[in-house]
Amino acid sequence: MTAVTGEPSFRQSVDLMFNRAAALMSLPPGLEEKIRVCNATYTVRFGVRLRGEIHTFTGYRSVHSEHTEPVKGGIRYAPSVNQDEVEALAALMTYKCALVEAPFGGSKGGLCIDPRQWTEEELEKITRRFAYELIKRDLIHPAQNVPAPDMGTTEREMAVIADQYARMNTADINARACVTGKPIHAGGIQGRVEATGRGVQYALQEFFRHPEDVARAKLSGTLDGKRVVVQGLGNVGYHAALFLSTEDGCKITHVIERDGAIENPDGLDIAALRDWIVQHGGVKDCPLGTYHADGARVLEAECDILIPAALEGVINMHNAAAIKAPLIIEAANGPVTAGADDILRHKGTVIIPDLYANAGGVTVSYFEWVKNLSHIRFGRMQRRQEEARHQLIVDELERISRDSSINWTLSPGFKQKYLRGAGELELVRSGLDDTMRAAYQSMREVWWGREDVTDLRTAGFLVSIDRVARAYTAKGI
Ligand code: NAD
């Protein structure tokens, strides 16, 4: 996203949001600055021979805070990647991990590349070389720095990174824990691909469990029937839109993509739309709805919930006043600039902030890292034992029903549902749901409990900064 005139950069925007919260705290002298600044950013330029010539690529890995190690954060592939962006994203990772109590410091990486311009084999060569440069400096390491997917990268790149690390560290038994978001066959975990979008769904479900919070957004009722606008039908946007429409009764009335937007007031068929985008590269000419060439304007459409799930800075000082959604959930990182945040806050728009809303990804990455370090799939020891204990109860109930004079039976489907022990996917979803509920509660306590805090973002920052400050203090810093 190109900078809008008069708007702070992405990193400055994150710092301004941090400063708003820090001003309400009484941190020991100097600690505020220590937490805010980015510890280090490594820039690497490396060459790869492709298509008969050497191409030079520029990549970054930024470490924002090492109050807890390893540090964690995705690797982004996009032509617009730059140091300011990577540092902003690394800072957000620090606050995000603290908010959801994932035991990591904050980091982020990026490569200036348009992945759509290269074939799969070429991308593998480029990723391998980038990973090599980072691994040899311990900027990818199971105990020090653990990347994950982000915009433009998928489990395919994570598998290459894991393989490159294993080749360079043949005796490291924990090699697989050097990166998360891997495919299942390469040490990944069930539910990681959907995790960030699933987390957005759980965040909204938790928000709608509190009618007084919903009322602050001038909304009422449940998620059922709510009109939703989604920007970006990539990993995060697709899963959030799919689950909200198929499981919670939301109507996804507009989807905004790179080449424009598509509208259907009755609700778009998200799975079919995604198939169309994969086949045709965009939403233009898609028969599922009406096409609008000016996608950015569609952010201003009438709706109940706006989900920016593409990139940063899309809601800025130029369009903030025109945004009609009373509730925005930041599935992307930094979609609302600090200037826009001011405007929206004064308008009364409720924003569920990125450091909470998209923390589902790092939460399930945490589970994957633990799985890799423990070398055992979640549920493997307990599942059948749990089923056997449930079977005992069902057998007993059936015996009582046979022996008793009252004629009663179990509800249809009960036996099948109750007997099923939780596998890895169920456990991951349960752990994610619990995490999203607990993190919301911690923000909510501050939001409702302090008169000087009027928004969820400041509440989230207050919780996170306090936790990071305590970690530094415990270390004697
Ligand atoms: P992705 O590459 O899978 O998807 C991005 C989508 O946005 C694509 O469909 C792309 O076509 C679309 N897009 C790009 N530019 C656009 C524009 N100008 N207008 C409309 N659409 C546009 O990326 P992702 O992994 O889904 O990440 C999206 C956002 O979520 C990023 O901000 C990322 O940092 C954040 N995030 C991702 C994860 C994760 O687990 N992948 C976790 C936390 C946060």
Side-chain angles (χ1 to χ4, degrees):
M1 181 75 198
T2 45
V4 177
T5 324
E7 199 92 48
S9 73
F10 186 11
R11 191 180 53 73
Q12 288 166 337
S13 216
V14 174
D15 286 352
L16 283 166
M17 291 165 178
F18 172 97
N19 292 346
R20 264 194 94 229
L24 304 176
M25 306 175 77
S26 41
L27 294 169
L31 187 55
E32 178 181 329
E33 193 191 353
K34 172 67 211 87
I35 297 173
R36 185 180 49 241
V37 297
C38 184
N39 287 6
T41 301
Y42 172 67
T43 306
V44 60
R45 294 178 190 88
F46 59 91
V48 187
R49 182 176 290 281
L50 298 160
R51 303 178 191 177
E53 58 177 302
I54 294 187
H55 292 260
T56 301
F57 297 91
T58 304
Y60 304 90
R61 187 80 185 154
S62 179
V63 175
H64 175 260
S65 175
E66 292 148 293
H67 64 283
T68 307
E69 285 182 300
V71 292
K72 191 138 192 24
I75 290 186
R76 174 177 284 198
Y77 282 7
S80 54
V81 162
N82 59 65
Q83 182 168 345
D84 184 277
E85 178 185 88
V86 173
E87 290 187 357
L89 291 164
L92 278 176
M93 282 307 296
T94 297
Y95 311 128
K96 195 178 300 184
C97 291
L99 187 61
V100 295
E101 297 181 286
F104 302 122
S107 181
K108 202 81 180 191
L111 190 63
C112 302
I113 185 176
D114 183 349
R116 293 171 304 168
Q117 304 300 319
W118 302 96
T119 66
E120 241 177 76
E121 293 82 63
E122 288 168 338
L123 277 173
E124 181 186 332
K125 268 181 106 174
I126 299 164
T127 302
R128 212 170 262 293
R129 181 72 203 204
F130 185 31
Y132 168 80
E133 297 293 338
L134 297 181
I135 293 163
K136 72 179 183 187
R137 291 170 180 88
D138 289 338
L139 287 164
I140 296 178
H141 188 286
Q144 290 185 49
N145 197 323
V146 183
D150 192 73
M151 208 165 116
T153 54
T154 64
E155 55 178 25
R156 190 183 59 198
E157 283 71 35
M158 302 307 115
V160 173
I161 292 172
D163 183 63
Q164 185 62 30
Y165 182 88
R167 286 185 192 192
M168 293 166 71
N169 297 274
T170 48
D172 185 347
I173 196 169
N174 293 322
R176 281 183 154 180
C178 76
V179 62
T180 58
K182 303 177 291 291
I184 293 290
H185 62 266
I189 192 166
Q190 299 279 352
R192 174 60 184 90
V193 175
E194 66 169 41
T196 311
R198 183 65 81 182
V200 171
Q201 177 199 27
Y202 288 161
L204 279 172
Q205 287 178 350
E206 179 58 15
F207 180 82
F208 276 86
R209 275 188 200 106
H210 304 281
E212 42 308 15
D213 299 12
V214 176
R216 274 175 95 148
K218 296 174 211 75
L219 290 168
S220 59
T222 65
L223 277 169
D224 193 25
K226 293 286 179 293
R227 298 158 307 155
V228 180
V229 174
V230 178
Q231 184 190 40
L233 211 65
N235 178 298
V236 179
Y238 167 67
H239 287 105
L242 182 73
F243 300 144
L244 288 167
S245 58
T246 56
E247 297 173 15
D248 296 293
C250 289
K251 277 186 194 165
I252 314 295
T253 57
H254 302 73
V255 166
I256 309 166
E257 257 295 330
R258 292 174 201 262
D259 65 332
I262 180 161
E263 172 184 2
N264 185 338
D266 298 326
L268 288 154
D269 177 338
I270 294 301
L273 178 58
R274 169 79 159 191
D275 287 347
W276 175 276
I277 295 173
V278 169
Q279 274 179 34
H280 300 87
V283 292
K284 192 156 185 265
D285 299 327
C286 177
L288 295 166
T290 314
Y291 174 71
H292 302 277
D294 188 353
R297 278 300 293 274
V298 175
L299 287 167
E300 299 162 22
E302 224 26 278
C303 65
D304 299 310
I305 306 170
L306 173 59
I307 310 185
L311 68 171
E312 60 268 15
V314 292
I315 301 172
N316 46 54
M317 281 155 72
H318 287 344
N319 63 359
I323 300 288
K324 294 182 196 69
L327 176 63
I328 300 175
I329 177 159
E330 296 182 325
N333 282 308
V336 176
T337 64
D341 191 65
D342 269 341
I343 297 170
L344 290 165
R345 212 168 341 104
H346 288 116
K347 257 174 55 156
T349 308
V350 171
I351 302 177
I352 303 180
D354 47 8
L355 71 159
Y356 167 67
N358 66 38
V362 75
T363 301
V364 177
S365 274
Y366 168 41
F367 302 156
E368 180 177 333
W369 182 72
V370 171
K371 174 185 179 181
N372 293 153
L373 294 178
S374 57
H375 301 268
I376 189 164
R377 162 168 56 79
F378 288 109
R380 184 166 175 180
M381 303 291 277
Q382 312 92 317
R383 184 174 190 171
R384 303 301 165 195
Q385 195 259 357
E386 199 184 318
E387 286 180 1
R389 285 171 66 85
H390 288 181
Q391 184 72 54
L392 278 178
I393 293 185
V394 169
D395 289 349
E396 195 60 11
L397 284 173
E398 287 181 335
R399 187 192 62 74
I400 294 168
S401 117
R402 265 194 316 273
D403 294 352
S404 95
S405 53
I406 311 158
N407 189 16
W408 58 271
T409 51
L410 298 172
S411 315
F414 168 83
K415 198 167 152 179
Q416 195 197 9
K417 275 196 215 153
Y418 187 68
L419 282 181
R420 208 168 157 236
E424 186 169 79
L425 184 60
E426 287 89 351
L427 291 169
V428 163
R429 286 181 179 160
S430 147
L432 175 59
D433 194 8
D434 185 59
T435 303
M436 296 308 288
R437 291 186 199 210
Y440 187 78
Q441 290 303 330
S442 64
M443 287 195 304
R444 186 170 191 271
E445 264 172 39
V446 178
W447 192 31
W448 284 97
R450 284 183 64 151
E451 274 181 15
D452 53 356
V453 176
T454 54
D455 63 308
L456 280 165
R457 191 191 309 282
T458 306
F461 267 99
L462 276 166
V463 173
S464 302
I465 297 169
D466 181 57
R467 289 180 183 165
V468 177
R470 283 170 197 268
Y472 273 123
T473 309
K475 281 179 149 201
I477 294 176

